[in-house]
Structures are given as C-alpha cells and as structure tokens.
Amino acid sequence: MPPVRIRDGIFWIGVNDRTTDLFEGLWPITPGGVSYNAYLVRGERTAVVDLAKAIKVDEFLDQVAAVAEPRSLDCVVINHMEPDHSGLLRTLLRIAPQVTILGTDKTVALLDSFYGIRRNVRAVADGEVLSLGNRSLRFFSTPFVHWPETMMTLEESERVLFSCDAFGGYGALRGGVFDDQCPDLAGYEEEALRYYVNIVAKFSPMVLKAIAKLTEVRVDVVAPSHGLIWRKDPGRIVGLYERWARYAREAGDPGVTLLYGSMYGNTEAVMNAVAQGVSAEGVPVEIFDVTRAHVSYILPSLWIRSGVLIGAPTYEAGLFPPVAHVLDMAGRKAVRTKKVARFGSYGWSGGAQRELERWFETLRWDQVLEPFEFVGAPSDADLERGERFGRKFARALWGKEEAP
Ligand code: FEO
C-alpha cells in the first residue's frame, strides 16, 4: 500500500503482512494478517516513528522515499524495540546512516543487545519535547505496554498520538487505514480484543497507568503500530482498552466459557447437557473444544466472562492434556477472578480432578460447585444431572439460590 496522509506532514508508511502464520511465533493471524504501522513526520526536520518487521524491505523503503529523501531523515523514534517494529532498523541505517535513533534509556541497551547498534543513539526523557523546527514530538514513557522500554510519541501541532502496541489490533489494513473507512468495525474490534488478550493483557495495570497519563494531553488521532488509525473516534479504542484492562481485576461479564475435551464422546455428551442447563438459565455460553480451538481464540472469552466450566476426562490418571495447556496459558496471561466448576468422565481410577484443583489454586479461581464425575459412558441419569449441573453453575454466577 502506498503512503497515506494522516494530517499535513504526517504519513502512514507501514506494511501489511498476510503471510506470517503465527504472530510472535505463537498466535494465529491468517487469513486476516496484521499491519506494522510506521509513520513519517515531515517538518523542517524529518522523523520516522517506528518501523516494521524485517519483511517487504523494498516496499518500506519506497514508501519512505515517496514522502522524504531517506538520506535526509533526521531521526528514527523507536517507541518499542520488539522486532515487529524495529526489524528494519539495520537496513534503514545502511541507507540513512546519519539518523539519530531515539528511545527510552532501556531502548538504548536493547538496541545494542538485539542489533549491536550503539552509534547515534540517544535516550529521551519522559515528557521531553523534540523540536522538528515547525513542529514537535513529545515523548511519554509507558513501560510494559508492552515491553519495559515502551514509550508513546505525540505530534503536538496535529495532536497525533503514535501509541505503538497500545490501541492496536490484528488484521492487515484493507485499503482504508482509518476507523471511518473500516467496513466491519465490530469484526475489527473482536480481533482487537484477541490481540489485546494475546499480547497486552498481562500488563493491564500498566495499560491503565498509560491511559491515565494520556488524560493530561489532547489527542485527536490515535495511530497505533498495528491495525486501524482512529481519527473519527479516537476515544473509542482508548475506551475499549480501558474496559479490557479492567477485567484483570474485576469479575467479568456474566457468561460462561465452556472448555471441553473428549476422547470418545462421553464427556462431550455431558457437555451438551451442561450447556443446555446454562442456556436454560439465560446465561450466555461460549463453547470450545480445547483440542481443536487454538488457545489464542479461547483466551478472550476467558478474559471477559465471569464463569468457566471445564469438561475434562481423566487421561492417564491426570488431566486431559489439552485442558492443562489452556489453563497454563490462562495463568501466564493472568486470567483471574473466575468462578469455575468441572465435570468429566473417568474409566477406572480418576485423577483429573486432583490435578485440576492444583490449577485452580495456582490460578486463584473459585470452584463454586463440587465436581460432577461419571464412569465411562453417561447414563440417562448422568445426562439429567449434567443439565442440573449447568443450571446450578449459571445460578451461582448470578448469585441466585441453587436450582432444585
Ligand atoms: Fe507489536 Fe510488542 O510489538
């Protein structure tokens, strides 16, 4: 995509990535892709703000050249060192060795350890203003949104905030780069939530700190380094991030994430009965077969919903392994304040529940019902009990009395 003018003298010069399968080598992003948004601010002096992953090198350099002569660039602002935003730095330096690289003091060390870059590097202070002559950039230290060195940059005359990972989302840009050009904003926001939970959620307290810091300044355009640029309604994405960050400490929305795994369909049969019970109480339920659904898609549901039901059989005297994987990832992403209960089959000895209770302790999830275990294939009575189990759990979420 050629450069896009955001405001006078401010351009998007990013690249789309529709070929990387796994973001961070971990999170599926096909077929929607992702964008690495870079920006160029042209004043009497010229700055590039963030770069891109080391792909599409010619395309990126052509975009710089379409707006400014690369050899005349004055500085490159590295808001965040993760290589999806800094990977092109060494290539750019070969063409524009005169540039000064700006970042926080922690960025200076990371530039050395990641790229061996020590020359023409300068640390900027929190709140420092850099004059580009007829315009200026102001830097805000926002550590751990997403790495410790992270900062944001505000172009002060047009009030464009280059926020890097914050306020970003998955999805390559589809022609239009702005929120008012997006044909499916609800779909974009769903993917932005997945991005948030996959990448940023662990650092939610720092997201809230960063948002509080931004209330000191007026921002007209939010220009993150992934996904849409928000010029029509910048408050919308900031508000969404604030809401998502609050889930780290607060109970989620009333609703159930139902995780299940089933080797031969026995736990699945009871899962369907349990789901019927939950639904009969009017509580929304989202169901994931943990063997087949990637955890990237499960985590957002866990993050925003208050209840978790786990249908897991015993496997070799322990927990069905794909369930353990999801719980491990939930722990790594600091998914807290959940009410939980478990059902599942066993063949002879059991063992899944013992292992699960260790997980609940680690996760600090509140087990609100005794587990419902059955032997082998469920009987009709087991299915009826499963339905009642689902009702009881839904009522526990609502804080109602137990089902009869
Ligand atoms: Fe988009 Fe933390 O890098």
Side-chain angles (χ1 to χ4, degrees):
M1 259 169 66
V4 177
R5 176 187 166 281
I6 298 172
R7 289 279 202 265
D8 265 354
I10 303 175
F11 302 87
W12 174 88
I13 55 164
V15 296
N16 274 327
D17 181 357
R18 292 189 171 89
T19 53
T20 294
D21 294 325
L22 299 172
F23 191 77
E24 290 188 335
L26 193 57
W27 313 108
I29 53 170
T30 49
V34 71
S35 71
Y36 311 115
N37 299 338
Y39 300 95
L40 189 144
V41 181
R42 196 173 58 195
E44 289 168 13
R45 302 169 68 215
T46 302
V48 170
V49 181
D50 291 317
L51 301 171
K53 191 173 164 181
I55 61 168
K56 300 191 177 179
V57 175
D58 282 348
E59 181 181 324
F60 180 80
L61 294 174
D62 284 348
Q63 290 191 183
V64 174
V67 187
E69 165 53 48
R71 287 184 183 79
S72 71
L73 296 179
D74 292 285
C75 55
V76 175
V77 176
I78 301 292
N79 278 322
H80 179 25
M81 262 295 299
E82 194 164 5
D84 54 332
H85 308 294
S86 66
L88 284 173
L89 184 56
R90 283 195 299 186
T91 304
L92 184 69
L93 289 181
R94 287 188 186 111
I95 292 163
Q98 77 287 350
V99 297
T100 302
I101 304 165
L102 304 171
T104 64
D105 54 351
K106 291 192 170 59
T107 303
V108 174
L110 290 169
L111 280 167
D112 190 6
S113 57
F114 274 68
Y115 302 119
I117 294 174
R118 291 183 287 275
R119 280 187 63 245
N120 291 353
V121 176
R122 184 166 80 75
V124 297
D126 184 27
E128 183 175 330
V129 175
L130 174 78
S131 171
L132 298 178
N134 54 340
R135 55 173 77 230
S136 57
L137 302 177
R138 185 167 160 194
F139 306 111
F140 295 87
S141 172
T142 53
F144 286 103
V145 190
H146 155 223
W147 282 11
E149 86 298 358
T150 316
M151 67 177 191
M152 298 185 194
T153 298
L154 179 73
E155 197 287 333
E156 292 192 303
S157 59
E158 298 292 338
R159 294 172 291 279
V160 177
L161 179 73
F162 305 109
S163 59
C164 208
D165 278 353
F167 316 128
Y170 289 140
L173 296 164
R174 292 182 276 175
V177 304
F178 298 109
D179 55 340
D180 51 278
Q181 296 174 324
C182 179
D184 176 18
L185 208 51
Y188 176 80
E189 288 175 359
E190 192 173 322
E191 279 292 89
L193 170 63
R194 185 167 71 93
Y195 165 87
Y196 180 83
V197 180
N198 290 179
I199 310 298
V200 188
K202 168 112 178 175
F203 309 103
S204 289
M206 304 309 281
V207 171
L208 292 174
K209 273 192 182 175
I211 290 172
K213 195 170 193 172
L214 291 173
T215 56
E216 298 166 12
V217 292
R218 178 176 151 193
V219 172
D220 288 350
V221 178
V222 169
S225 288
H226 300 293
L228 291 175
I229 298 166
W230 299 75
R231 67 176 178 188
K232 182 182 175 195
D233 191 1
R236 176 151 184 93
I237 191 66
V238 176
L240 284 172
Y241 261 62
E242 188 170 13
R243 177 149 68 89
W244 296 337
R246 290 194 188 287
Y247 286 116
R249 290 194 189 136
E250 298 169 5
D253 303 335
V256 174
T257 304
L258 200 170
L259 310 173
Y260 82 97
S262 191
M263 286 175 276
Y264 296 104
N266 295 322
T267 296
E268 183 180 12
V270 172
M271 179 279 291
N272 283 317
V274 171
Q276 277 183 316
V278 175
S279 294
E281 291 293 327
V283 173
V285 55
E286 191 166 12
I287 300 171
F288 295 95
D289 175 346
V290 294
T291 306
R292 293 174 178 82
H294 194 287
V295 70
S296 171
Y297 295 89
I298 298 173
L299 286 169
S301 180
L302 290 173
W303 188 256
I304 66 169
R305 294 190 169 84
S306 57
V308 185
L309 277 166
I310 297 175
T314 287
Y315 183 87
E316 295 179 349
L319 180 61
F320 192 55
V323 175
H325 171 61
V326 173
L327 297 179
D328 176 52
M329 291 302 287
R332 290 169 190 271
K333 294 297 172 186
V335 178
R336 303 274 185 247
T337 61
K338 303 298 166 194
K339 291 182 176 174
V340 64
R342 178 251 168 180
F343 59 91
S345 71
Y346 65 96
W348 50 96
S349 69
Q353 186 61 30
R354 269 196 308 279
E355 189 175 332
L356 254 182
E357 285 176 7
R358 289 197 295 273
W359 276 111
F360 296 158
E361 207 176 307
T362 303
L363 292 162
R364 288 179 264 147
W365 289 2
D366 179 18
Q367 190 174 205
V368 296
L369 296 183
E370 287 298 309
F372 164 33
E373 295 192 285
F374 55 94
V375 187
S379 63
D380 287 346
D382 289 329
L383 294 174
E384 284 169 21
R385 195 174 157 202
E387 202 268 351
R388 286 200 304 277
F389 187 82
R391 280 181 180 270
K392 279 173 86 168
F393 186 75
R395 289 178 171 227
L397 280 189
W398 286 119
K400 294 179 183 174
E401 76 284 5
E402 286 190 355

Short mmCIF file of all heavy atoms in Angstrom, two decimals, residues 180-209:
data_model
loop_
_atom_site.label_atom_id
_atom_site.label_comp_id
_atom_site.label_asym_id
_atom_site.label_seq_id
_atom_site.Cartn_x
_atom_site.Cartn_y
_atom_site.Cartn_z
N ASP A 180 -12.94 5.29 10.21
CA ASP A 180 -14.15 5.63 9.46
C ASP A 180 -14.17 4.99 8.08
O ASP A 180 -15.15 5.13 7.35
CB ASP A 180 -14.29 7.16 9.34
CG ASP A 180 -13.02 7.81 8.82
OD1 ASP A 180 -12.10 8.03 9.64
OD2 ASP A 180 -12.94 8.08 7.62
N GLN A 181 -13.11 4.27 7.72
CA GLN A 181 -13.08 3.57 6.43
C GLN A 181 -13.24 2.06 6.61
O GLN A 181 -13.20 1.33 5.63
CB GLN A 181 -11.74 3.84 5.72
CG GLN A 181 -11.52 5.30 5.36
CD GLN A 181 -10.12 5.54 4.81
OE1 GLN A 181 -9.15 4.92 5.25
NE2 GLN A 181 -10.01 6.45 3.85
N CYS A 182 -13.40 1.62 7.84
CA CYS A 182 -13.44 0.18 8.09
C CYS A 182 -14.85 -0.36 7.80
O CYS A 182 -15.83 0.12 8.37
CB CYS A 182 -13.06 -0.11 9.55
SG CYS A 182 -13.11 -1.86 9.95
N PRO A 183 -14.97 -1.35 6.92
CA PRO A 183 -16.30 -1.85 6.56
C PRO A 183 -16.93 -2.71 7.65
O PRO A 183 -18.13 -2.98 7.60
CB PRO A 183 -16.03 -2.66 5.29
CG PRO A 183 -14.59 -3.08 5.41
CD PRO A 183 -13.89 -2.00 6.17
N ASP A 184 -16.16 -3.17 8.60
CA ASP A 184 -16.69 -4.09 9.62
C ASP A 184 -16.00 -3.78 10.96
O ASP A 184 -15.13 -4.53 11.42
CB ASP A 184 -16.43 -5.54 9.19
CG ASP A 184 -16.87 -6.55 10.25
OD1 ASP A 184 -17.66 -6.17 11.16
OD2 ASP A 184 -16.40 -7.71 10.21
N LEU A 185 -16.43 -2.68 11.56
CA LEU A 185 -15.76 -2.23 12.79
C LEU A 185 -15.97 -3.24 13.93
O LEU A 185 -15.06 -3.47 14.73
CB LEU A 185 -16.29 -0.85 13.19
CG LEU A 185 -15.33 0.03 13.98
CD1 LEU A 185 -13.97 0.15 13.31
CD2 LEU A 185 -15.93 1.40 14.22
N ALA A 186 -17.16 -3.87 13.98
CA ALA A 186 -17.41 -4.85 15.05
C ALA A 186 -16.45 -6.04 14.91
O ALA A 186 -15.89 -6.53 15.89
CB ALA A 186 -18.85 -5.33 15.00
N GLY A 187 -16.25 -6.50 13.68
CA GLY A 187 -15.32 -7.60 13.44
C GLY A 187 -13.90 -7.18 13.79
O GLY A 187 -13.13 -7.97 14.35
N TYR A 188 -13.55 -5.93 13.44
CA TYR A 188 -12.20 -5.45 13.77
C TYR A 188 -12.00 -5.43 15.29
O TYR A 188 -10.96 -5.84 15.80
CB TYR A 188 -11.96 -4.05 13.19
CG TYR A 188 -10.61 -3.52 13.60
CD1 TYR A 188 -9.45 -3.92 12.95
CD2 TYR A 188 -10.49 -2.68 14.72
CE1 TYR A 188 -8.21 -3.50 13.37
CE2 TYR A 188 -9.25 -2.25 15.15
CZ TYR A 188 -8.10 -2.66 14.47
OH TYR A 188 -6.87 -2.25 14.92
N GLU A 189 -13.03 -4.95 15.99
CA GLU A 189 -12.89 -4.83 17.45
C GLU A 189 -12.78 -6.22 18.12
O GLU A 189 -12.11 -6.38 19.13
CB GLU A 189 -14.04 -4.01 18.01
CG GLU A 189 -13.90 -2.53 17.65
CD GLU A 189 -15.07 -1.68 18.08
OE1 GLU A 189 -16.05 -2.21 18.66
OE2 GLU A 189 -15.01 -0.46 17.82
N GLU A 190 -13.43 -7.19 17.53
CA GLU A 190 -13.33 -8.56 18.06
C GLU A 190 -11.88 -9.05 17.93
O GLU A 190 -11.31 -9.63 18.86
CB GLU A 190 -14.27 -9.47 17.28
CG GLU A 190 -14.46 -10.82 17.91
CD GLU A 190 -15.53 -11.63 17.20
OE1 GLU A 190 -16.56 -11.05 16.77
OE2 GLU A 190 -15.33 -12.83 17.06
N GLU A 191 -11.29 -8.78 16.79
CA GLU A 191 -9.89 -9.17 16.60
C GLU A 191 -8.94 -8.31 17.44
O GLU A 191 -7.88 -8.76 17.86
CB GLU A 191 -9.52 -9.08 15.11
CG GLU A 191 -9.96 -10.30 14.31
CD GLU A 191 -9.17 -11.54 14.70
OE1 GLU A 191 -9.61 -12.25 15.64
OE2 GLU A 191 -8.12 -11.81 14.09
N ALA A 192 -9.33 -7.06 17.68
CA ALA A 192 -8.51 -6.20 18.55
C ALA A 192 -8.52 -6.74 19.98
O ALA A 192 -7.51 -6.70 20.67
CB ALA A 192 -9.01 -4.76 18.50
N LEU A 193 -9.67 -7.25 20.40
CA LEU A 193 -9.73 -7.87 21.73
C LEU A 193 -8.82 -9.10 21.79
O LEU A 193 -8.08 -9.30 22.77
CB LEU A 193 -11.17 -8.27 22.07
CG LEU A 193 -11.33 -9.13 23.33
CD1 LEU A 193 -10.88 -8.38 24.58
CD2 LEU A 193 -12.79 -9.58 23.49
N ARG A 194 -8.85 -9.91 20.74
CA ARG A 194 -7.96 -11.10 20.72
C ARG A 194 -6.50 -10.65 20.79
O ARG A 194 -5.71 -11.22 21.55
CB ARG A 194 -8.23 -11.94 19.46
CG ARG A 194 -7.44 -13.24 19.44
CD ARG A 194 -7.94 -14.20 18.35
NE ARG A 194 -7.63 -13.80 17.00
CZ ARG A 194 -6.56 -14.18 16.32
NH1 ARG A 194 -5.68 -15.00 16.88
NH2 ARG A 194 -6.37 -13.78 15.07
N TYR A 195 -6.17 -9.63 20.03
CA TYR A 195 -4.81 -9.08 20.09
C TYR A 195 -4.51 -8.61 21.51
O TYR A 195 -3.44 -8.90 22.06
CB TYR A 195 -4.69 -7.92 19.09
CG TYR A 195 -3.49 -7.04 19.28
CD1 TYR A 195 -2.26 -7.34 18.71
CD2 TYR A 195 -3.58 -5.88 20.06
CE1 TYR A 195 -1.16 -6.53 18.90
CE2 TYR A 195 -2.49 -5.06 20.27
CZ TYR A 195 -1.28 -5.39 19.68
OH TYR A 195 -0.20 -4.58 19.89
N TYR A 196 -5.44 -7.88 22.10
CA TYR A 196 -5.20 -7.34 23.45
C TYR A 196 -4.90 -8.48 24.43
O TYR A 196 -3.94 -8.42 25.19
CB TYR A 196 -6.42 -6.54 23.94
CG TYR A 196 -6.18 -5.99 25.33
CD1 TYR A 196 -5.48 -4.81 25.51
CD2 TYR A 196 -6.58 -6.69 26.46
CE1 TYR A 196 -5.20 -4.33 26.78
CE2 TYR A 196 -6.30 -6.23 27.74
CZ TYR A 196 -5.61 -5.05 27.88
OH TYR A 196 -5.31 -4.59 29.15
N VAL A 197 -5.74 -9.50 24.40
CA VAL A 197 -5.58 -10.57 25.40
C VAL A 197 -4.32 -11.39 25.10
O VAL A 197 -3.60 -11.78 26.01
CB VAL A 197 -6.85 -11.45 25.45
CG1 VAL A 197 -6.67 -12.56 26.48
CG2 VAL A 197 -8.07 -10.61 25.79
N ASN A 198 -4.05 -11.62 23.83
CA ASN A 198 -2.85 -12.39 23.46
C ASN A 198 -1.56 -11.65 23.82
O ASN A 198 -0.59 -12.25 24.27
CB ASN A 198 -2.82 -12.69 21.95
CG ASN A 198 -3.86 -13.67 21.47
OD1 ASN A 198 -3.94 -13.95 20.29
ND2 ASN A 198 -4.71 -14.18 22.34
N ILE A 199 -1.54 -10.35 23.60
CA ILE A 199 -0.26 -9.61 23.62
C ILE A 199 -0.13 -8.71 24.85
O ILE A 199 0.93 -8.62 25.45
CB ILE A 199 -0.12 -8.75 22.34
CG1 ILE A 199 -0.38 -9.57 21.08
CG2 ILE A 199 1.23 -8.05 22.30
CD1 ILE A 199 0.57 -10.71 20.85
N VAL A 200 -1.18 -8.01 25.20
CA VAL A 200 -1.05 -6.89 26.14
C VAL A 200 -1.65 -7.17 27.52
O VAL A 200 -1.25 -6.57 28.51
CB VAL A 200 -1.70 -5.62 25.53
CG1 VAL A 200 -1.42 -4.40 26.39
CG2 VAL A 200 -1.21 -5.36 24.11
N ALA A 201 -2.63 -8.09 27.59
CA ALA A 201 -3.47 -8.21 28.79
C ALA A 201 -2.66 -8.43 30.07
O ALA A 201 -3.01 -7.91 31.13
CB ALA A 201 -4.47 -9.36 28.61
N LYS A 202 -1.59 -9.17 29.96
CA LYS A 202 -0.77 -9.45 31.14
C LYS A 202 -0.32 -8.15 31.81
O LYS A 202 -0.08 -8.10 33.01
CB LYS A 202 0.44 -10.27 30.68
CG LYS A 202 1.53 -10.40 31.69
CD LYS A 202 1.63 -11.79 32.16
CE LYS A 202 2.76 -11.98 33.14
NZ LYS A 202 2.78 -13.30 33.70
N PHE A 203 -0.22 -7.10 31.01
CA PHE A 203 0.30 -5.82 31.50
C PHE A 203 -0.84 -4.81 31.72
O PHE A 203 -0.63 -3.60 31.66
CB PHE A 203 1.33 -5.28 30.50
CG PHE A 203 2.38 -6.29 30.15
CD1 PHE A 203 2.33 -6.97 28.94
CD2 PHE A 203 3.38 -6.62 31.05
CE1 PHE A 203 3.27 -7.93 28.62
CE2 PHE A 203 4.32 -7.60 30.74
CZ PHE A 203 4.28 -8.25 29.53
N SER A 204 -2.03 -5.31 31.97
CA SER A 204 -3.20 -4.43 32.08
C SER A 204 -3.02 -3.30 33.09
O SER A 204 -3.43 -2.16 32.82
CB SER A 204 -4.45 -5.25 32.41
OG SER A 204 -4.82 -6.02 31.28
N PRO A 205 -2.44 -3.55 34.28
CA PRO A 205 -2.27 -2.41 35.20
C PRO A 205 -1.43 -1.28 34.57
O PRO A 205 -1.71 -0.10 34.80
CB PRO A 205 -1.55 -3.03 36.40
CG PRO A 205 -1.91 -4.49 36.34
CD PRO A 205 -2.01 -4.81 34.88
N MET A 206 -0.46 -1.66 33.75
CA MET A 206 0.36 -0.63 33.11
C MET A 206 -0.41 0.06 31.98
O MET A 206 -0.16 1.23 31.67
CB MET A 206 1.65 -1.25 32.57
CG MET A 206 2.47 -1.97 33.63
SD MET A 206 2.77 -0.96 35.08
CE MET A 206 4.09 0.09 34.49
N VAL A 207 -1.33 -0.66 31.36
CA VAL A 207 -2.19 -0.03 30.35
C VAL A 207 -3.04 1.05 31.01
O VAL A 207 -3.17 2.17 30.48
CB VAL A 207 -3.09 -1.09 29.67
CG1 VAL A 207 -4.14 -0.44 28.79
CG2 VAL A 207 -2.25 -2.08 28.87
N LEU A 208 -3.60 0.74 32.16
CA LEU A 208 -4.43 1.74 32.85
C LEU A 208 -3.59 2.95 33.27
O LEU A 208 -4.05 4.09 33.19
CB LEU A 208 -5.12 1.10 34.06
CG LEU A 208 -6.19 0.06 33.71
CD1 LEU A 208 -6.70 -0.64 34.98
CD2 LEU A 208 -7.36 0.70 32.96
N LYS A 209 -2.37 2.70 33.71
CA LYS A 209 -1.48 3.83 34.06
C LYS A 209 -1.21 4.70 32.84
O LYS A 209 -1.19 5.93 32.93
CB LYS A 209 -0.14 3.29 34.60
CG LYS A 209 -0.15 3.01 36.07
CD LYS A 209 1.27 2.77 36.56
CE LYS A 209 1.23 2.44 38.04
NZ LYS A 209 2.52 2.09 38.58
#
